[in-house]
Amino acid sequence: MDDCLEVVADADRFLREVRLARGRAETTTKAYAEGVSLFLRWCEATRRDWRTAAQDMGLFMLWLRWTPGNGGRRQNVVPGPGSKPVRGESRINKILTAVRMFISHAVANNAAPGWVLEQIYELGDNLDLPTEARGEGGGMRYRMRARHRVDEPETAVDRASDEEVVAMFLACRSARDRLTLLLLTRVGLRPGQVAGLHRSDLHLVIDSKALGCDIEGAHVHITRRQNENGAWSKSKKSWAMPVDFLVVQAFDQYALERHDVLGSAGSDFALVNLFRPPYGSPISTDAIGELCESLSRRAGLGRMVTPRMGRHAMASNVVDAGGSLDEVQALLGQKSPESPRPYLHPKAARLRAAFERVASPREFVEASR
């Protein structure tokens, strides 16, 4: 909406398509909405028509980097080179992605002239793509490549160490928090998947045939569905994630805790509010992030262990225990065989053992004698 609380029709149509027609997550749609809003506010502040403002995208990038929030309308001195940027490289690139999609949608619906696409895309080859992304058949192919992008420093997401996870577990003050932490670090679920779990998704018995499920052993079903708390599974596929005795025991303790507070009441969601109103309502993904931040602080870790770092820890532990890449892919519910690789963080001991398995040149000399 604009400053007069009137709906911006073209932006609203684009966001409805992203959310409803393309099936993107609510959080993704929200991120796109924020990016498009910044672009429209920049156009308004600089008296540009958003339909043709793409020819000045470089100025928009400069505005994003140095202009404070609130639409850039704060009456203060705007920082410049030499000071800390208002928005980082990753944030700017995400905003540019949303703007490109918005403009492309407008062109496709005759809301913007077609020549605008030449301002945001250029014709490029596929030589800069990974080998697996080039397709079969060999040869060079052409594609539309984004013109505007900020170089991002390569920063890999670290894993949570086993010592950090144990310290956070000991810092938990409730059975619900312990179960939540195990689902993140032991099972490797994303916050949206944890917050979106229903009680019917938990099959924590040896034989679940009575529940209409033929999967053996204790497991959790991960399903993408619309949830009232906005929780959303990023993976489109549904799969069953095996769990061990630690998770089953944690759930049993949580079930008793929940019954003491709510009795048989509460929603069908697995994890609900027990210690502050509205009691019995499902927890949110934001609450899971706040829990990890609080546990990291109470455990005295010296850094914040995020839910994503817990997922990385789970995948790395599977490999350290002898698991293969396809097993990690299946456990994480990922589609591509290459998707698990960023989640693997070999322990130093495993790397040293791999290095020491390489034969010494002395062995070849001694064998030749």
Side-chain angles (χ1 to χ4, degrees):
M1 295 184 290
D2 59 18
D3 291 339
C4 298
L5 301 183
E6 295 290 337
V7 174
V8 181
D10 293 304
D12 184 64
R13 189 179 301 111
F14 163 68
L15 294 173
R16 279 191 279 117
E17 177 173 318
V18 169
R19 182 70 180 94
L20 303 177
R22 302 187 185 184
R24 299 294 179 87
E26 184 175 342
T27 53
T28 302
T29 309
K30 179 176 180 291
Y32 284 174
E34 293 172 351
V36 172
S37 175
L38 285 170
F39 176 68
L40 294 178
R41 289 193 177 279
W42 170 73
C43 292
E44 182 184 21
T46 58
R47 298 183 181 180
R48 286 179 168 85
D49 185 347
W50 68 264
R51 300 167 183 81
T52 58
Q55 58 189 345
D56 295 323
M57 193 66 75
L59 296 177
F60 175 55
M61 295 168 65
L62 190 66
W63 184 86
L64 286 174
R65 191 171 184 83
W66 300 113
T67 305
N70 193 24
R73 300 188 177 191
R74 295 179 181 173
Q75 300 299 320
N76 59 356
V77 177
V78 177
S83 58
K84 183 178 179 181
V86 175
R87 299 176 183 87
E89 293 85 355
S90 177
R91 172 65 174 149
I92 293 176
N93 283 333
K94 291 177 181 178
I95 293 173
L96 293 176
T97 298
V99 172
R100 282 193 295 267
M101 291 186 63
F102 170 57
I103 294 176
S104 299
H105 178 269
V107 171
N109 289 273
N110 298 320
W115 60 263
V116 174
L117 291 179
E118 301 177 4
Q119 305 296 325
I120 58 178
Y121 291 106
E122 62 182 356
L123 192 63
D125 55 51
N126 63 350
L127 297 181
D128 62 327
L129 295 178
T131 303
E132 58 272 10
R134 299 180 190 176
E136 300 178 354
M140 185 173 65
R141 298 182 180 181
Y142 293 95
R143 64 187 176 90
M144 299 297 290
R145 183 169 57 194
R147 286 183 177 273
H148 308 92
R149 183 174 180 82
V150 182
D151 290 334
E152 297 184 39
E154 295 185 4
T155 55
V157 176
D158 193 10
R159 59 159 289 176
S161 67
D162 295 339
E163 294 77 13
E164 289 174 328
V165 173
V166 171
M168 294 172 67
F169 187 85
L170 296 176
C172 290
R173 296 174 178 172
S174 67
R176 187 199 64 182
D177 292 349
R178 288 192 292 271
L179 175 60
T180 302
L181 182 64
L182 287 177
L183 290 173
L184 294 172
T185 61
R186 186 76 177 173
V187 185
L189 300 185
R190 293 186 171 96
Q193 295 166 345
V194 173
L197 282 177
H198 290 219
R199 285 189 282 184
S200 56
D201 296 331
L202 305 173
H203 294 177
L204 305 182
V205 293
I206 298 177
D207 189 349
S208 300
K209 291 182 179 179
L211 303 174
C213 178
D214 294 330
I215 300 176
E216 297 181 358
H219 60 275
V220 176
H221 286 274
I222 311 301
T223 304
R224 193 181 198 187
R225 58 165 70 95
Q226 297 283 351
N227 291 303
E228 64 181 75
N229 61 346
W232 182 268
S233 175
K234 185 178 180 180
S235 302
K236 294 182 179 180
K237 61 177 292 187
S238 298
W239 80 99
M241 180 69 188
V243 297
D244 60 4
F245 175 74
L246 288 176
V247 177
V248 175
Q249 186 181 50
F251 179 80
D252 289 343
Q253 295 174 352
Y254 164 66
L256 294 174
E257 181 180 75
R258 172 173 172 155
H259 188 270
D260 290 341
V261 177
L262 301 176
S264 59
S267 67
D268 184 51
F269 283 83
L271 299 173
V272 296
N273 289 331
L274 298 179
F275 312 108
R276 60 182 180 183
Y279 297 102
S281 63
I283 65 172
S284 64
T285 54
D286 291 339
I288 293 177
E290 293 171 0
L291 171 64
C292 290
E293 182 178 2
S294 177
L295 292 178
S296 300
R297 184 173 57 254
R298 292 207 301 264
L301 300 183
R303 67 168 183 169
M304 176 182 172
V305 173
T306 65
R308 190 178 180 187
M309 294 167 64
R311 182 173 170 85
H312 281 242
M314 175 269 181
S316 296
N317 283 336
V318 170
V319 176
D320 287 336
S324 60
L325 204 60
D326 62 324
E327 291 172 340
V328 176
Q329 176 192 350
L331 290 173
L332 294 181
Q334 295 175 326
K335 182 178 180 181
S336 172
E338 297 298 319
S339 298
R341 293 191 182 277
Y343 288 85
L344 307 184
H345 307 267
K347 288 184 177 180
R350 184 157 68 92
L351 292 177
R352 173 165 290 279
F355 176 77
E356 292 179 347
R357 284 196 297 269
V358 179
S360 171
R362 292 184 177 180
E363 297 179 12
F364 293 104
V365 174
E366 294 175 355
S368 62
R369 292 178 179 176

